[in-house]
Amino acid sequence: MQTAVFFHAHPDDEALLTAGTMAMLAAEGHRVVLVVATAGERGLAELPHGDELGAARMNELYASAARLGCARVVKLGYADSGLGDDGGLAEDRPDNAFIDADLEEAAQRLAALLKEETAELLTIYDPAGGYGHPDHVMVHRVGARAAEIAGTPIVLEATVNRDPLLKGIRLAARLYPQLDVRAFESAYSAGADITHRINVRRHAKAKRAAMAAHATQATGGDGDRTLGAMLRIPAPIFRYVFGTEWYVRRGLPPGTRLRHPFDQPS
């Protein structure tokens, strides 16, 4: 048995990016620990921003973690930084916002947990934070430093293969010209940079259950929520669309292609 720590910014991030891998490792008998930097108190939802929303989202996180087989859930203790109107930094950030945390202090908090768990693997995000949320960028920075401090040997950046994503968005832009294709040209990671392609189709049911646990994120706002739309996809198509999870491990030889989080290049 080995220990894998999955570090995320907000509740529901784990369901979207790494749930299949978490369920797979738990089913194999490994210890899976889920860490969130914040409780997601400023996420888009029908509940107003604040402690009530944070408490609801943490309860959803515990339900998601149970469905994935996690052995432990930890909140790092920072506040959700929120997003500005332009998708960048919010000016009205709360006290203790994650984006304003001292990098070294936050990394030491996470490193202490990595040492306590004797973790062999830590997942973070790519340097762009996926789609650029400031808290996701901070997860990358804090997680990378924490792994250095703790000596965690495997650090995987959870991401999405940008290449097919861009193709789909360009096709969609023909029907919906308002889509800004340029916003996705630097999002996530190019296919050539991805080192791990994890087949999680056998665990699609658990991944879908984890998504469904985050009910506050399936509704709210003026338009259709992404999570709600995902949950309406028929099961066979869902298994195909969400059956692969992607990661980047820095420092490996170019062209490395691995199929399991604990695999080592030959």
Side-chain angles (χ1 to χ4, degrees):
M1 183 183 75
Q2 295 177 281
T3 298
V5 174
F6 289 77
F7 183 35
H8 287 281
H10 319 99
D12 90 335
D13 291 330
E14 86 293 341
L16 296 168
L17 279 174
T18 65
T21 307
M22 296 165 75
M24 180 185 75
L25 291 179
E28 292 175 353
H30 300 291
R31 180 173 171 84
V32 175
V33 177
L34 173 57
V35 181
V36 288
T38 81
E41 307 94 332
R42 292 169 63 82
L44 180 60
E46 292 180 348
L47 288 172
H49 290 170
D51 291 342
E52 183 182 2
L53 176 58
R57 295 192 69 183
M58 284 303 298
N59 285 335
E60 292 171 348
L61 184 73
Y62 294 129
S64 170
R67 292 164 188 176
L68 297 174
C70 295
R72 183 181 181 188
V73 177
V74 178
K75 183 173 70 171
L76 209 56
Y78 294 98
D80 185 347
S81 305
L83 280 173
D85 293 337
D86 60 353
L89 285 174
E91 294 184 1
D92 58 337
R93 295 192 296 277
D95 294 338
N96 200 33
F98 185 43
I99 192 63
D100 296 323
D102 179 83
L103 176 63
E104 194 69 14
E105 188 271 341
Q108 289 286 355
R109 283 194 200 185
L110 181 59
L113 184 141
L114 294 172
K115 292 176 183 178
E116 178 189 344
E117 289 286 350
T118 320
E120 287 86 3
L121 183 151
L122 172 68
T123 74
I124 56 176
Y125 303 137
D126 55 42
Y131 64 93
H133 191 298
D135 281 343
H136 287 227
V137 175
M138 194 66 168
V139 162
H140 172 83
R141 297 174 63 207
V142 169
R145 177 62 183 137
E148 288 180 357
I149 296 168
T152 305
I154 301 174
V155 179
L156 300 183
E157 298 173 3
T159 189
V160 171
N161 188 339
R162 182 198 305 151
D163 301 346
L165 179 66
L166 267 178
K167 287 181 181 177
I169 291 169
R170 284 170 178 149
L171 285 172
R174 296 178 183 179
L175 298 175
Y176 304 98
Q178 68 272 22
L179 278 176
D180 183 5
V181 176
R182 292 171 301 174
F184 294 90
E185 289 176 347
S186 60
Y188 299 106
S189 301
D193 296 330
I194 291 172
T195 56
H196 292 64
R197 289 164 172 80
I198 312 297
N199 184 338
V200 298
R201 290 183 187 176
R202 292 179 59 187
H203 304 281
K205 185 176 180 180
K207 182 168 182 171
R208 191 177 187 122
M211 289 184 182
H214 293 283
T216 62
Q217 299 306 290
T219 58
D222 297 330
D224 195 16
R225 298 299 304 280
T226 301
L227 184 59
M230 289 176 175
L231 290 170
R232 291 194 294 273
I233 297 174
I237 300 175
F238 182 97
R239 190 162 48 249
Y240 175 78
V241 172
F242 297 104
T244 302
E245 291 178 349
W246 298 274
Y247 300 89
V248 175
R249 182 176 176 184
R250 302 291 168 181
L252 296 185
T256 298
R257 297 291 181 265
L258 302 175
R259 302 295 180 182
H260 191 280
F262 288 121
D263 279 350
Q264 297 290 346
S266 57

